[in-house]
Amino acid sequence: MSNNKGILIIFSGPSGVGKDSIIKKIFKKCPNLELSVSCTTRQPRKGEINGKDYYFLSKEKFQNMIDNDEMLEYAIYCDNFYGTPKTKIENDINNGKVVILEIEVNGAEKIMKKCLGAVSIFVLPPSMEELENRLIVRGTDEKNIILKRIKEAEKEIQKAHIYDYVVVNNNIDKCSDDIIKIIDSESRRVLQNRNTIERVLLSGRNNKL
């Protein structure tokens, strides 16, 4: 078990902004971080793995988890349920780990109210035009779904001000480096290091003078 308290990093941004690519870069550079795996009722995209990218659940199973108070939060996004299973996050934080939770804005807002020590980061696209281009190039959605995602993105960006930090994804390497700097800075706060301070003080009680 770690001597210090862990941190929950809330990580949000509109669909198409590059969240998955940014997270992969972050974990390649900082493999000691922990990624929270969310639950969803949407169908997996090509290449996605159950238990790694998401826990892909039926609506019945998702509802059972809600009823049994097994979700830290949940929300509906583009006609599908998304939620955060809470037990593993709580255990990881108690064990001193830095946990990154990728989540949409409404769910993030709920967690901010429950977890006052969480650090929130919102990733912006360079422009709405660039966001639309990325969604088109991605090639995973029909035109009507892309238009729906653009409208949803505008609503999400209007709430970016509730986050602690905003980072623009002009370049994935730079964006990931900026986020790592934020995490490193937050990890050095006194609140996260009270046990380290106490350990140093205790080490001086057995000096030989």
Side-chain angles (χ1 to χ4, degrees):
M1 181 178 290
S2 169
N3 287 327
N4 297 314
K5 184 179 179 181
I7 307 173
L8 176 61
I9 305 292
I10 299 171
F11 182 77
S12 304
S15 179
V17 80
K19 296 188 296 294
D20 291 344
S21 297
I22 294 166
I23 285 176
K24 286 177 183 177
K25 284 282 186 181
I26 291 171
F27 275 85
K28 186 175 181 180
K29 297 173 183 178
C30 303
N32 57 318
L33 302 179
E34 194 76 19
L35 181 65
S36 173
V37 180
S38 298
C39 301
T40 182
T41 59
R42 77 159 170 80
Q43 292 298 307
R45 297 182 185 131
K46 184 177 180 180
E48 288 184 326
I49 300 172
N50 185 47
K52 181 180 178 182
D53 299 287
Y54 282 98
Y55 294 110
F56 295 100
L57 307 178
S58 67
K59 289 188 176 180
E60 181 181 4
K61 172 63 176 175
F62 199 105
Q63 186 61 54
N64 286 339
M65 291 184 71
I66 294 172
D67 295 341
N68 293 327
D69 193 30
E70 297 174 27
M71 291 289 184
L72 186 60
E73 60 75 39
Y74 67 93
I76 299 175
Y77 178 77
C78 292
D79 302 323
N80 283 300
F81 283 91
Y82 290 80
T84 305
K86 68 180 182 180
T87 301
K88 188 173 187 304
I89 286 182
E90 291 174 348
N91 290 339
D92 285 342
I93 297 299
N94 289 335
N95 286 322
K97 295 182 179 180
V98 175
V99 181
I100 295 182
L101 170 61
E102 180 191 341
I103 189 170
E104 49 76 40
V105 173
N106 290 331
E109 194 168 10
K110 293 176 184 177
I111 292 180
M112 287 177 201
K113 293 176 181 177
K114 290 183 177 180
C115 306
L116 300 181
V119 177
S120 53
I121 303 171
F122 191 92
V123 180
L124 284 170
S127 67
M128 294 305 296
E129 181 181 6
E130 175 61 21
L131 183 66
E132 183 176 352
N133 289 337
R134 291 178 186 180
L135 288 169
I136 293 170
V137 170
R138 188 167 73 179
T140 58
D141 298 307
E142 299 294 332
K143 183 177 179 180
N144 64 315
I145 299 298
I146 290 175
L147 291 173
K148 190 171 185 178
R149 291 190 184 281
I150 291 294
K151 290 181 179 179
E152 191 67 31
E154 291 174 347
K155 295 177 183 178
E156 290 175 327
I157 292 171
Q158 287 172 1
K159 287 194 171 184
H161 68 276
I162 70 174
Y163 286 71
D164 298 314
Y165 298 92
V166 171
V167 181
V168 178
N169 182 19
N170 274 310
N171 175 279
I172 288 178
D173 280 313
K174 184 179 184 307
C175 184
S176 61
D177 285 343
D178 288 343
I179 292 170
I180 289 169
K181 289 176 184 176
I182 292 170
I183 294 171
D184 184 59
S185 177
E186 290 290 337
S187 297
R188 296 174 190 274
R189 284 182 178 270
V190 170
L191 178 63
Q192 314 306 137
N193 292 278
R194 287 178 176 172
N195 288 337
T196 296
I197 295 168
E198 184 64 22
R199 176 177 56 79
V200 171
L201 289 171
L202 287 172
S203 70
R205 294 177 185 175
N206 295 320
N207 60 49
K208 299 178 181 179
L209 297 177

